[in-house]
Amino acid sequence: MLKLVNVSKYYYSKGVVTSGFTRVNLEMHRGEFIAITGESGSGKSTLLNVISGLDSYEDGEMYIFGQETSGYTETDFENYRKRYIANIFQNFNLVNSYTVYQNVELALVMNGRKRREYRKKIMEVLKQVGLYKFRNARASRLSGGQKQRVAIARALVKDTPVIVADEPTGNLDSQSAENVWELLSSVAKDRLVVVVTHNFEQAEPYITRKITMHDGQVIEDVEVKKPEEIPDEEESGVIHTGRLRFFQKLRLGIRNTFNIVPKFLLLLFIFMFITAAVSIFYSSTLKNNFVEDTSGYNWYFDDADVARIVIQKKDRSVITEDDFRAIAAVEGVGRIVKEDILIDRSVYIWSEDLGVNGTIVSVSEFEGQPDIGRLPEQADEILVLLPKNHYLADNGQYERMLQGTFSLELPFGKASSPQRSVTVTGVVLSDLDDWKGQIYVTDELMKQVSGAIGDSFSTVSVEANGHIMQSSDWDMNNSVMPVDWIESGTALVSDEWNSYYKNYRARGKTFTVTIKNLYYTDELTLTIKDVYTYRNFKNKTGGLDDWYRGAIFVNTDDYLSLFDKGYYQSSVYMSDYSYKDSVMTALDDMGYKTLHVNSNTYSYGGNWAKLERLITTGMGAMLMITLFLVSYFIIRLIMRSRNTYFSTVRILGGTASECRSLIVIELVAVLNLAYAALLGVLYAAEKEYFSSYITDTILRYLTFRDYIILYLVMLAVCLWIALRYSRQLFRGSAMNTLKAV
Ligand code: ADP
Ligand code: MG
């Protein structure tokens, strides 16, 4: 059935031709159990590999069942191996991480056999070789003799007419070797078994024929014992030259993923490291760019928060409560600060040794209870919110704020804004990361604040009996001062005003205050109740400082009627920056002039910042590439450790593309797990099971698209590794791959 006619095999390496064997003529039949012996280097293995179809031959003809093979292509030889040959090796070539059963199964799976067809058969064969008990043991735990019996079982289940074995007992003790010989001879009953050995004495009792080689030539070929006569035909019936099936491929790939636990953990670690490192780095770069884009200064607005939009009515009319409600209903609008100016001007309150800077906020916006003390009720009471790193909060001194009085100066009125005394009724400690605190005031104080703001943005002029006077910007002359101790409709003025009126007498006469600002003009006529002189100023004003001389003292209500007419400029804070365009458009449609403060800032860095960004982006890209290259090499190193496995797969009939698929499945399975871990962590952070700066940044700045791209890049790395590795694996002949291991 197997016939060699003048077959020669040469090796070409580095221009030198060596002969493996020359002009071999042999005819072998079913039922024969042949031992090939000879000294080392005589060509025994070479001959066996040619018979196995693992190596090519250069000269002569080899026939299998009468069919000539010299014209065979690589694929033809693949099928030849699948169909006719089962190999047994000196070093077993088992997959150590597989169980006995899985090792035997591998040979069948690689030939495209179906599980339900082969399961019973494997069990039978395992019984035959005496390993049924060990079917679920890992191959690595078996003795050498047991391993070789697994290899024989693997050869047997293939159901091929030829079994070849190269020094199958070379690594075994004599007892195990006996068992193997016995097993092989029983197998040879209806097949051709060819065994290479240099220990002929051991083989002699079992074999039917002895072939001796010397220097690449057959020098002896004798019958030791008459073999059983078996017709030399190829069996009809199913001939298995199938390919690895899709689901089997998947099953094997997944099995390989988890089989070697340290390898799996190392791969998982690497994939998790890359996915985490890339997402952290990329999101923080996006964040830095965003922060840089959106930070900067503006001469008029202290708070250049990206969410802030300053609005005025296009017709410069007052913004009513109805208007505010309509704005609040726009999607994406978060907070509204009606008195916009309050955001950008902080006030300072101080007592003898304590001081706090803060923004004024209406106490009606405060929710909850203060940490100490109570909410303010009277006009001169305030509640103070301290950021966590304010020195008073830090060293626990804030409790002292509840005692004593503080001076409060409103920075809004030009010169007219008087200091007032306030008491702190409560303190709130906040997580806010800011240097400024917040000063919560009652509606009453808020009104006066609004008046002072109106005052500071208005031009005030006074007309007294034909004399026109402007209020001064740098002292109190002709500034209107609100006080409580003068009746509404009347005023206290300087005695210099006497000269403007007949009889040098201003008392009882009237004058008109006219104010003008961006939004409106108004005037008020008042009667002069009294005049103060240089000498009696303190007496008549209840002890006011000399600084206030020259002012026009009026009742607070009159003052507010001039300067507090409602809100003309407010700030709308978006709940998220992404609403910017839609909110701006909606406000515009509703009749507001809008200013996105942040878009009108001067960058701190300018061109220098652009260069810096270019450099960091470049460095980041290099870092990423390095990361990918390093991980590529590590993964390749890990895959290299699987050379034995893949050359075994190859010897069992696996093709390059099948090996590639197995590697891809193995890598992608780990990738998916690593990716699932990343998404799981992010999901937990999103659901607020925990929180960290890193996950917050990733969640905020990475988009769906970024996750997809990251996954695809990683997938590409896996495919690339699989492609290169399998190519390298299949560069040489199957035999060379095996030898290289
Ligand atoms: P044996 O198995 O009898 O010890 P081999 O068949 O391995 O001998 O080797 C036969 C001859 O072929 C030897 O001279 C050896 O040097 C040569 N040979 C075997 N394999 C190769 C190879 N891959 N490349 C070059 N020469 C080889
Ligand atoms: Mg050899």
Side-chain angles (χ1 to χ4, degrees):
M1 73 192 252
L2 191 66
K3 193 165 128 188
L4 284 79
V5 180
N6 278 331
V7 176
S8 297
K9 164 76 194 168
Y10 306 107
Y11 289 108
Y12 304 90
S13 64
K14 292 174 190 155
V16 185
V17 182
T18 21
S19 152
F21 57 83
T22 40
R23 310 182 72 76
V24 168
N25 288 287
L26 284 173
E27 205 169 338
M28 306 179 195
H29 305 281
R30 247 186 225 277
E32 282 189 306
F33 185 13
I34 305 173
I36 303 178
T37 63
E39 71 270 28
S40 176
S42 56
K44 307 182 296 288
S45 297
T46 310
L47 177 61
L48 208 64
N49 292 340
V50 167
I51 291 172
S52 312
L54 286 170
D55 253 348
S56 56
Y57 57 93
E58 275 72 40
D59 231 357
E61 292 115 47
M62 183 166 83
Y63 298 87
I64 182 89
F65 291 111
Q67 197 188 346
E68 223 268 286
T69 61
S70 59
Y72 271 19
T73 61
E74 189 117 350
T75 328
D76 291 334
F77 267 116
E78 239 167 58
N79 286 333
Y80 169 90
R81 284 207 302 273
K82 284 190 176 180
R83 204 158 158 176
Y84 303 117
I85 311 290
N87 288 89
I88 295 166
F89 302 91
Q90 180 173 355
N91 54 5
F92 324 126
N93 279 307
L94 298 183
V95 179
N96 274 327
S97 60
Y98 279 16
T99 64
V100 167
Y101 178 88
Q102 288 169 343
N103 265 287
V104 178
E105 180 190 32
L106 189 61
L108 299 174
V109 165
M110 293 317 298
N111 288 307
R113 309 261 190 111
K114 289 178 193 143
R115 192 169 158 150
R116 63 184 143 78
E117 286 171 11
Y118 62 62
R119 210 183 149 74
K120 229 176 88 196
K121 165 111 192 161
I122 292 178
M123 295 307 182
E124 269 166 28
V125 172
L126 284 178
K127 277 177 193 154
Q128 191 184 343
V129 302
L131 284 174
Y132 183 73
K133 250 188 3 192
F134 294 96
R135 63 190 182 280
N136 289 324
R138 285 206 172 206
S140 55
R141 317 196 59 169
L142 301 178
S143 72
Q146 290 171 321
K147 280 184 185 173
Q148 199 57 295
R149 280 188 279 152
V150 176
I152 293 170
R154 189 175 64 185
L156 286 177
V157 287
K158 255 183 101 180
D159 256 341
T160 55
V162 184
I163 291 179
V164 298
D166 194 349
E167 307 265 11
T169 58
N171 284 348
L172 302 181
D173 61 89
S174 55
Q175 185 53 50
S176 305
E178 291 274 330
N179 294 342
V180 166
W181 283 115
E182 208 177 299
L183 192 56
L184 286 175
S185 78
S186 72
V187 163
K189 294 281 179 289
D190 58 344
R191 305 170 212 241
L192 168 63
V193 176
V194 187
V195 182
V196 163
T197 180
H198 57 255
N199 194 340
F200 179 67
E201 289 86 75
Q202 227 175 26
E204 202 170 6
Y206 305 100
I207 59 170
T208 65
R209 180 173 164 189
K210 177 191 182 191
I211 294 173
T212 311
M213 292 189 72
H214 176 72
D215 218 1
Q217 300 208 312
V218 174
I219 53 162
E220 188 193 19
D221 186 353
V222 290
E223 191 174 87
V224 178
K225 170 167 37 166
K226 192 107 193 103
E228 276 180 54
E229 289 287 336
I230 294 173
D232 234 1
E233 294 140 16
E234 194 171 352
E235 290 129 275
S236 49
V238 196
I239 292 161
H240 299 286
T241 53
R243 291 246 170 275
L244 185 55
R245 284 154 188 279
F246 176 75
F247 280 108
Q248 299 280 32
K249 212 185 271 183
L250 211 61
R251 206 160 65 91
L252 271 190
I254 300 287
R255 178 187 294 169
N256 295 342
T257 306
F258 301 105
N259 224 287
I260 307 167
V261 176
K263 180 217 68 175
F264 164 67
L265 291 180
L266 189 60
L267 272 181
L268 185 67
F269 173 78
I270 291 167
F271 278 112
M272 294 208 315
F273 179 76
I274 307 176
T275 44
V278 172
S279 24
I280 290 169
F281 178 83
Y282 187 52
S283 64
S284 69
T285 306
L286 289 179
K287 181 186 180 146
N288 284 345
N289 289 351
F290 179 78
V291 168
E292 202 182 282
D293 283 345
T294 54
S295 64
Y297 56 87
N298 181 295
W299 291 113
Y300 305 101
F301 301 98
D302 272 4
D303 180 19
D305 192 307
V306 279
R308 180 180 179 186
I309 300 168
V310 178
I311 56 165
Q312 291 170 355
K313 279 272 181 72
K314 282 177 186 162
D315 60 8
R316 297 197 169 168
S317 62
V318 72
I319 306 172
T320 65
E321 289 302 318
D322 280 347
D323 293 334
F324 285 125
R325 271 189 287 277
I327 294 169
V330 172
E331 198 198 351
V333 168
R335 193 160 60 97
I336 298 173
V337 178
K338 293 173 183 172
E339 191 64 271
D340 165 74
I341 306 298
L342 289 177
I343 299 166
D344 302 303
R345 306 290 166 89
S346 47
V347 296
Y348 188 61
I349 59 165
W350 73 97
S351 67
E352 268 159 45
D353 63 337
L354 303 174
V356 175
N357 237 313
T359 323
I360 291 187
V361 184
S362 161
V363 76
S364 63
E365 282 187 36
F366 180 76
E367 285 166 9
Q369 282 299 316
D371 289 301
I372 56 165
R374 58 169 176 82
L375 293 172
E377 285 153 11
Q378 312 283 321
D380 59 351
E381 291 179 343
I382 59 170
L383 172 72
V384 174
L385 177 140
L386 288 176
K388 60 182 171 198
N389 39 15
H390 193 277
Y391 77 97
L392 285 177
D394 220 29
N395 61 21
Q397 290 207 47
Y398 60 92
E399 298 197 355
R400 291 207 289 129
M401 295 183 71
L402 294 191
Q403 300 142 21
T405 45
F406 285 79
S407 298
L408 162 70
E409 187 165 32
L410 299 174
F412 312 108
K414 283 172 286 199
S416 63
S417 170
Q419 286 170 13
R420 56 192 74 215
S421 292
V422 290
T423 51
V424 176
T425 62
V427 178
V428 190
L429 299 174
S430 131
D431 278 342
L432 228 75
D433 192 10
D434 201 347
W435 58 275
K436 271 196 300 193
Q438 281 173 12
I439 313 284
Y440 287 98
V441 301
T442 56
D443 288 347
E444 221 174 320
L445 189 52
M446 193 61 147
K447 252 184 120 46
Q448 298 184 25
V449 168
S450 295
I453 291 169
D455 190 356
S456 71
F457 287 97
S458 301
T459 317
V460 180
S461 60
V462 180
E463 189 263 319
N465 196 25
H467 284 79
I468 312 272
M469 297 163 278
Q470 296 278 326
S471 67
S472 161
D473 270 345
W474 52 86
D475 61 24
M476 291 302 285
N477 270 333
N478 300 319
S479 285
V480 182
M481 254 305 275
V483 290
D484 297 332
W485 38 259
I486 197 151
E487 279 164 49
S488 186
T490 67
L492 172 71
V493 299
S494 163
D495 64 349
E496 286 171 26
W497 285 41
N498 284 331
S499 62
Y500 307 149
Y501 295 94
K502 250 199 268 172
N503 304 328
Y504 199 71
R505 190 185 162 83
R507 200 175 284 138
K509 306 279 168 39
T510 61
F511 67 98
T512 305
V513 181
T514 304
I515 70 144
K516 246 190 207 147
N517 61 38
L518 222 52
Y519 309 105
Y520 61 87
T521 308
D522 196 14
E523 56 175 53
L524 182 67
T525 300
L526 296 166
T527 307
I528 300 168
K529 175 105 191 272
D530 198 1
V531 296
Y532 54 81
T533 65
Y534 186 87
R535 289 234 177 122
N536 66 16
F537 177 74
K538 259 200 163 58
N539 262 339
K540 294 210 168 175
T541 58
L544 270 183
D545 197 277
D546 275 352
W547 160 252
Y548 292 101
R549 275 212 308 247
I552 303 161
F553 296 94
V554 303
N555 182 276
T556 303
D557 290 340
D558 292 338
Y559 177 84
L560 293 180
S561 76
L562 279 174
F563 295 115
D564 178 28
K565 290 190 184 289
Y567 306 106
Y568 288 90
Q569 180 172 304
S570 302
S571 271
V572 172
Y573 284 82
M574 295 167 278
S575 55
D576 192 285
Y577 178 66
S578 54
Y579 287 111
K580 184 191 157 203
D581 293 336
S582 66
V583 170
M584 295 275 277
T585 313
L587 289 172
D588 187 70
D589 291 346
M590 291 162 78
Y592 295 95
K593 243 172 39 176
T594 55
L595 173 75
H596 184 241
V597 177
N598 197 271
S599 307
N600 292 279
T601 56
Y602 304 87
S603 161
Y604 291 115
N607 281 337
W608 183 239
K610 276 181 203 153
L611 183 67
E612 197 179 284
R613 184 185 294 191
L614 207 69
I615 291 169
T616 49
T617 308
M619 271 167 47
M622 262 154 62
L623 198 79
M624 287 296 105
I625 291 170
T626 315
L627 196 66
F628 275 111
L629 280 180
V630 167
S631 48
Y632 168 76
F633 283 114
I634 295 175
I635 295 170
R636 220 175 59 157
L637 220 63
I638 296 172
M639 293 316 290
R640 281 259 173 88
S641 74
R642 317 216 353 97
N643 274 355
T644 333
Y645 175 78
F646 285 108
S647 51
T648 303
V649 165
R650 183 176 177 187
I651 278 162
L652 296 177
T655 63
S657 90
E658 281 166 349
C659 284
R660 196 168 59 229
S661 309
L662 287 177
I663 300 166
V664 169
I665 294 167
E666 189 172 335
L667 292 179
V668 171
V670 182
L671 167 64
N672 287 347
L673 281 177
Y675 218 71
L678 173 77
L679 295 182
V681 167
L682 292 179
Y683 180 79
E686 168 90 35
K687 289 279 164 221
E688 286 171 3
Y689 292 125
F690 75 99
S691 97
S692 85
Y693 173 79
I694 292 171
T695 46
D696 285 352
T697 311
I698 295 176
L699 285 172
R700 176 77 177 72
Y701 289 95
L702 288 197
T703 60
F704 184 65
R705 199 196 56 187
D706 296 327
Y707 292 111
I708 300 279
I709 290 176
L710 176 61
Y711 184 81
L712 290 180
V713 170
M714 300 283 295
L715 197 65
V717 171
C718 291
L719 292 176
W720 189 33
I721 288 171
L723 184 74
R724 304 230 359 187
Y725 178 67
S726 65
R727 238 190 232 160
Q728 172 213 323
L729 209 59
F730 279 78
R731 198 168 292 149
S733 69
M735 212 49 229
N736 287 339
T737 312
L738 198 61
K739 279 183 195 153
V741 170

